[in-house]
Amino acid sequence: MRAILLRLVGAIPTLFGVVLVTFLLTRVLPGDTATYFAGPTASPESIAQIRTSLGLDRPLPEQFWRYLVDLGHGDLGMSLTTGQPVKTELVNRLPASAELTLCGLLLAIGIAVPLGVLAAVRQGSLIDHACRVVATAGVSLPVFFTGLLLVYVFYFLLGWSPAPLGRLDAFASAPKQHTGFYLVDTLWAGDFETFRAAAAQIILPAGTLALFALAPIARITRASMLAVLGSEFIRTARASGLSGPTVVLTYALRNALLPVVTVLGMVFSFLLGANVLVEKVFAWPGIGSYAIEALIASDYAPVQGFVLTMAVLYVLLNLAIDLVNRAIDPRARRGA
Amino acid sequence: MKRRVFLKSAAGAAALAAPAIKQAAAQPAPTRNETLILVQEYGPNSMDMQGIGAAQPVNGVSLNCYDTLIRFKRKPFAEGVTVFDLENFEPGLAASWQTASDGMSCTFKLRDNAQFHSKRPVTARDVKWSLDRAVKIGGFATTQMAAGSLEKPEQFVAVDDKTFRIDFARKDKLTMPDLAVTIPFIIDSETAMANAAGDPLAKEYLKNNVAGSGAFKVESWKPGTETIYVRNDDWACGDLPKLRRVIARDIPSPSTRRALIERGDADISYGLPPKDFKDLADAGKVRVAAVPVPNAIWYVAMNTANSPFTDVRLRQAVAWAVPYEKIMSAAMFGRGVPMYGGPQPVAKIGWPVPSHYKVDMDKAKALVAAATGGAGLTTSLLFDAGSATIAEPMAILVQESLAQIGIKVELNKVPGANFRGELNKKTAPMVINRFGGWLDFPDYFFFWNYHGNNSIFNVASYQNKEMDKLIDAARFAPDAASYERDVRGFLDMGMDQVPMVPVCQPFHDVAMQKYIGGYHYAPSREPDFRYLTKGA
């Protein structure tokens, strides 16, 4: 417990650094927010008016101080592109991104871990080669391309998948919000029809993300399994006459899992980034597409809010991974 | 209309005292044929088109959810497509209007039965409050009002409850058209002020809420995701729309938008790259409404205030070397009207008109040689990354062609937010851009783009006293003959001096299923749901 608290306190300087750097970066970018929002026929006076009303005419330290004070009150500012408070938007959009990323990750784990294990156990076999092909393809195809390809094949040509209109098709209505995850909320409400609709919408984007995440997970599972399978305690287990599956699953896999979990953390962060493009292709209302649109318009507040949210997420994610590592590996517990 | 009459009589027969709300509730839910699904790149960022920073799609909210005093009449353009008529008006909230005999004011009589969504009747005080707001609020709204000589609150007079007068600042032919665009819409002032929390312009409330009298209400608005409009069954300012519900989804990826319209999952798709529109139009499965954007052109501008393009011979050389036909096929994919290869002097009074330039490399080389003594020169060409689908191939083609006449061009592609800033600096030697005014007059275009007042759109920083005189004279011309003479004057001068090289007038393309009817093109280019129909 104390260790967790220490870790969280230790994250504060990092977060402050992130806040400062994003603030400076957004100001240093050459775009001029006031000119952009003054609209097409703006006169110099109306641009100046907007600059004053946004507080952009004040010196930088003062702007930063105001930003900090607002942050202290939990106010992340207003987005000019969507016209809404950044906090509301992030809160509304984060579940969409998280649901998509988690689904993609689970899908990837579900495929990659068994694939990696099999490839390690039957080294040099067909399945090993298949693993290599899938991993190489997954990494080398950019996500927006796989996304478009999947849309083209499964929606446009075959018509198996519903229209890529976002989280739900146009005629369905969103479930009552508990977690913000539609898949969970619909089950909570016992609304299986909407659950099916939401699941149908998420399959393709989650599949796209999974394809991207497969490679590192499968590769690291394979490598780590190979190392473990070659070690002495496995030979001992085999010599003691334990069955194949017991050896592989109970003895080898558990020990091979440690690097896999660490990689999972990294892959999760990758996926949050890769999300941005997938969200664009599938019109997914997540935080990635929100941040990109804001960045193009030099809309500072959402960009700052997005980076801050991501930083907080990473801190929490790293913490979670450390905790999982401790649960799996007794050495990590003693080491701390 | 018939259904409504029937429903009223049916409800009346069933229960004479049934309140109006019950009647509405008794209507069946909108069917799929009364529901329209529209996909667009991005939706509104506000509900208030007068507000500062309102984006292009907010025009759609103004158009469909609010009324103006008068509206542009519609005129047929192609099958299933109408466009606005700039000089003929039909009643909006004003049932009738009368210009004073001295031509210096106009009096409007409001409709007796018009009411806001809040059920309050529309009064002349609401009209005054709304127009006052438009000239006071600053930013684009105030600029647009001023373009029609609507400048001060004192010009707007609420004579009595249903009578409203506008006193003209000067005789300006843009005043009446300017009352029919999406800026001077009429707001429910009491509802707005009751929720304004002390702000005399109720900016925050109106940004998030519609307080109008228009044909549609906003049922739900999720910025960046979806906007849902439902019909206002009490709309008094025209025939009740056929559509009862419109779902506008924001789909950022153009490929996805195209797939949706081709598969038939969307009824209307806005904003695709020209190549997609060309493919869709060629395939013929869906209808592509291609309206040449009134008043608008794609152009290559040259900075006349700084070297090297202070020399008119160099500007003319560029105009003779722009590879027009290649641009039309490889950048525009044919989705526009060519604006080159015309007669000199220009063939007609209007804008845009084709220039007399076409590709003539020998002429261009000779002009460059005369201007630089054969040394050639190096310069740079600025364009907006936001419109790169068209501007980038165009820039590359210009670069290639100019290299052959000894002008070496570096390309400078900047994102949207910086592009405006760069234009404001007025230092870029060459710019590729597009401009079109809402109010389709040649003098309006020239006032923004060629006048010595040097607005942000005078990208070439062009300064010419003779030109200014002609433009100003045409804007307030007393009669048709002198107007024609002045317009002809500045058109020919503009073509000869060529601070900007006209390339083409772009189409405003919208893809829709063949069963969609009643598409209307308004100056703001946003879809007008009031006339759209779905099904046979």
Side-chain angles (χ1 to χ4, degrees):
Chain A
M1 211 46 224
R2 247 192 84 219
I4 298 180
L5 227 64
L6 269 178
R7 282 288 299 266
L8 287 180
V9 173
I12 290 177
T14 319
L15 289 181
F16 180 80
V18 167
V19 167
L20 181 66
V21 169
T22 39
F23 179 86
L24 287 179
L25 273 185
T26 47
R27 307 297 140 144
V28 168
L29 287 179
D32 181 358
T33 316
T35 318
Y36 191 73
F37 285 97
T41 56
S43 57
E45 298 85 62
S46 58
I47 293 173
Q49 242 171 19
I50 291 174
R51 187 161 290 137
T52 319
S53 72
L54 295 176
L56 292 173
D57 54 339
R58 296 171 194 281
L60 268 191
E62 191 187 333
Q63 286 186 40
F64 185 60
W65 174 245
R66 281 165 174 241
Y67 176 56
L68 281 187
V69 170
D70 286 346
L71 264 189
H73 292 99
D75 179 4
L76 292 175
M78 290 289 272
S79 160
L80 296 166
T81 31
T82 62
Q84 299 298 304
V86 172
K87 195 165 85 178
T88 334
E89 295 256 27
L90 287 177
V91 167
N92 287 341
R93 284 163 171 271
L94 194 56
S97 285
E99 186 178 29
L100 177 60
T101 312
L102 279 177
C103 279
L105 192 66
L106 289 179
L107 208 60
I109 295 174
I111 299 170
V113 171
L115 200 64
V117 170
L118 281 176
V121 173
R122 304 202 197 297
Q123 208 184 341
S125 71
L126 247 149
I127 198 136
D128 191 15
H129 291 302
C131 174
R132 199 167 297 138
V133 169
V134 168
T136 316
V139 174
S140 40
L141 293 174
V143 276
F144 67 88
F145 178 75
T146 25
L148 281 176
L149 193 71
L150 291 183
V151 169
Y152 183 65
V153 173
F154 290 102
Y155 166 65
F156 193 77
L157 289 183
L158 299 174
W160 292 355
S161 155
L165 276 168
R167 300 180 82 183
L168 280 177
D169 89 272
F171 290 98
S173 50
K176 192 167 173 294
Q177 182 143 354
H178 296 287
T179 58
F181 288 22
Y182 281 5
L183 292 177
V184 178
D185 285 350
T186 46
L187 288 183
W188 193 316
D191 182 354
F192 293 104
E193 197 187 328
T194 316
F195 174 78
R196 267 228 311 281
Q201 292 287 349
I202 206 171
I203 285 178
L204 281 194
T208 311
L209 283 180
L211 217 57
F212 177 68
L214 268 182
I217 304 177
R219 298 292 297 169
I220 205 79
T221 312
R222 180 176 175 276
S224 160
M225 275 301 278
L226 274 181
V228 173
L229 283 175
S231 60
E232 311 218 316
F233 73 95
I234 294 293
R235 203 183 309 157
T236 315
R238 283 199 207 278
S240 312
L242 289 173
S243 71
T246 318
V247 172
V248 171
L249 295 181
T250 320
Y251 287 79
L253 185 59
R254 184 158 177 205
N255 281 290
L257 226 44
L258 206 56
V260 176
V261 170
T262 315
V263 165
L264 276 187
M266 273 166 56
V267 169
F268 189 78
S269 352
F270 275 158
L271 284 191
L272 278 176
N275 246 348
V276 173
L277 293 168
V278 177
E279 282 174 9
K280 250 188 129 73
V281 170
F282 291 93
W284 203 261
I287 52 172
S289 49
Y290 176 62
I292 282 286
E293 237 99 282
L295 194 60
I296 290 171
S298 283
D299 190 359
Y300 299 148
V303 178
Q304 288 165 349
F306 172 77
V307 176
L308 187 61
T309 315
M310 287 308 229
V312 171
L313 273 183
Y314 282 154
V315 167
L316 293 179
L317 194 70
N318 274 325
L319 186 67
I321 288 168
D322 280 5
L323 292 178
V324 173
N325 269 349
R326 281 156 176 255
I328 297 178
D329 185 1
R331 281 169 302 178
R333 255 170 284 176
R334 237 178 303 123
Chain B
M1 281 307 275
K2 268 193 189 139
R3 178 197 291 111
R4 208 161 161 241
V5 173
F6 166 73
L7 265 176
K8 269 194 180 152
S9 57
L16 276 168
I21 297 204
K22 282 249 173 80
Q23 275 181 35
Q27 281 195 19
T31 62
R32 290 209 171 203
N33 256 349
E34 291 169 316
T35 305
L36 183 92
I37 297 187
L38 176 143
V39 291
Q40 58 196 1
E41 184 180 1
Y42 59 98
N45 63 346
S46 154
M47 298 280 109
D48 176 14
M49 191 56 216
Q50 291 178 359
I52 282 173
Q56 165 68 21
V58 186
N59 284 300
V61 178
S62 167
L63 201 58
N64 293 297
C65 302
Y66 285 96
D67 285 308
T68 45
L69 283 173
I70 53 176
R71 291 198 296 260
F72 295 114
K73 275 194 174 152
R74 293 182 295 152
K75 56 183 181 190
F77 178 78
E79 193 203 334
V81 181
T82 55
V83 297
F84 70 98
D85 180 344
L86 185 66
E87 284 166 292
N88 288 297
F89 306 100
E90 63 181 28
L93 271 176
S96 64
W97 58 95
Q98 181 75 48
T99 309
S101 52
D102 66 351
M104 285 305 286
S105 71
C106 185
T107 305
F108 300 83
K109 280 278 178 205
L110 302 186
R111 286 179 198 264
D112 286 328
N113 56 347
Q115 58 177 22
F116 290 112
H117 298 162
S118 65
K119 308 278 176 206
R120 268 191 64 233
V122 178
T123 69
R125 285 189 312 282
D126 295 302
V127 179
K128 170 156 176 63
W129 190 83
S130 309
L131 298 191
D132 283 0
R133 184 175 188 266
V135 298
K136 282 193 296 198
I137 196 163
F140 173 62
T142 302
T143 314
Q144 182 63 42
M145 294 295 279
S149 296
L150 299 165
E151 292 155 0
K152 294 190 297 279
E154 294 78 58
Q155 287 177 263
F156 310 123
V157 186
V159 180
D160 61 44
D161 245 19
K162 292 284 175 191
T163 315
F164 179 75
R165 193 181 74 235
I166 296 180
D167 296 330
F168 296 156
R170 60 192 72 87
K171 277 187 195 167
D172 184 343
K173 64 178 177 300
L174 299 184
T175 301
M176 291 304 274
D178 209 23
L179 286 172
V181 299
T182 44
I183 290 297
F185 57 86
I186 309 307
I187 302 163
D188 181 347
S189 62
E190 280 183 24
T191 303
M193 285 316 292
N195 293 288
D199 175 5
L201 299 180
K203 291 197 280 281
E204 198 54 38
Y205 176 73
L206 289 172
K207 190 165 110 185
N208 292 302
N209 298 277
V210 169
S213 57
F216 285 86
K217 308 176 192 179
V218 170
E219 182 189 83
S220 110
W221 174 43
K222 293 185 203 137
T225 309
E226 171 182 80
T227 315
I228 299 179
Y229 301 86
V230 289
R231 187 174 70 189
N232 167 21
D233 287 338
D234 297 320
W235 192 46
C237 299
D239 293 341
L240 204 62
K242 297 283 190 295
L243 296 174
R244 288 177 54 196
R245 196 175 159 85
V246 177
I247 301 172
R249 278 266 172 123
D250 303 351
I251 310 284
S253 155
S255 317
T256 310
R257 290 201 297 279
R258 177 173 167 181
L260 287 167
I261 191 89
E262 280 198 86
R263 285 283 301 179
D265 284 312
D267 296 317
I268 296 187
S269 177
Y270 248 67
L272 293 176
K275 170 151 196 333
D276 287 316
F277 278 121
K278 179 184 184 295
D279 292 348
L280 289 175
D282 290 349
K285 259 169 59 190
V286 297
R287 183 190 308 138
V288 177
V291 179
V293 179
N295 207 247
I297 56 166
W298 275 101
Y299 60 80
V300 181
M302 286 156 282
N303 194 320
T304 61
N306 292 313
S307 147
F309 292 109
T310 41
D311 189 332
V312 68
R313 289 172 299 184
L314 280 179
R315 302 202 295 268
Q316 287 167 345
V318 170
W320 288 113
V322 169
Y324 299 100
E325 254 126 55
K326 281 190 200 152
I327 290 175
M328 281 310 288
S329 61
M332 299 299 301
F333 292 93
R335 308 310 292 167
V337 186
M339 282 301 146
Y340 49 85
Q344 185 187 30
V346 295
K348 64 161 187 158
I349 298 296
W351 186 261
V353 282
S355 76
H356 60 278
Y357 298 101
K358 53 184 182 287
V359 182
D360 187 335
M361 298 308 263
D362 294 334
K363 214 179 251 182
K365 274 179 201 156
L367 283 162
V368 175
T372 65
L377 55 107
T378 304
T379 182
S380 75
L381 171 59
L382 175 79
F383 63 95
D384 182 358
S387 51
T389 36
I390 291 175
E392 188 152 33
M394 200 163 150
I396 292 170
L397 289 169
V398 169
Q399 182 188 38
E400 257 174 33
S401 187
L402 292 189
Q404 294 172 35
I405 60 167
I407 301 181
K408 199 165 163 285
V409 180
E410 282 161 25
L411 301 187
N412 184 12
K413 172 181 173 180
V414 297
N418 310 10
F419 183 69
R420 292 255 178 79
E422 287 295 324
L423 288 191
N424 255 341
K425 281 193 225 155
K426 293 187 173 289
T427 52
M430 294 182 84
V431 181
I432 284 182
N433 196 19
R434 169 189 156 159
F435 182 89
W438 280 356
L439 305 174
D440 181 17
F441 291 100
D443 33 321
Y444 188 62
F445 185 95
F446 271 68
F447 177 71
W448 286 111
N449 292 271
Y450 288 77
H451 195 279
N453 67 10
N454 212 2
S455 83
I456 175 172
F457 295 109
N458 186 349
V459 174
S461 299
Y462 186 62
Q463 306 279 341
N464 182 342
K465 289 271 181 312
E466 287 297 304
M467 175 73 96
D468 295 356
K469 216 185 282 171
L470 287 167
I471 296 172
D472 290 335
R475 285 179 73 208
F476 305 107
D479 56 74
S482 71
Y483 179 71
E484 193 170 327
R485 189 192 61 228
D486 295 333
V487 171
R488 209 166 252 293
F490 67 65
L491 285 178
D492 284 326
M493 188 182 284
M495 294 304 181
D496 178 57
Q497 293 293 307
V498 72
M500 46 164 68
V501 184
V503 177
C504 84
Q505 180 183 22
F507 287 158
H508 179 71
D509 280 319
V510 178
M512 61 192 84
Q513 303 298 340
K514 288 218 163 125
Y515 53 71
I516 299 292
Y519 171 74
H520 176 61
Y521 178 90
S524 65
R525 305 194 299 276
E526 286 302 305
D528 193 329
F529 306 140
R530 293 174 293 196
Y531 312 114
L532 285 174
T533 57
K534 188 174 172 181

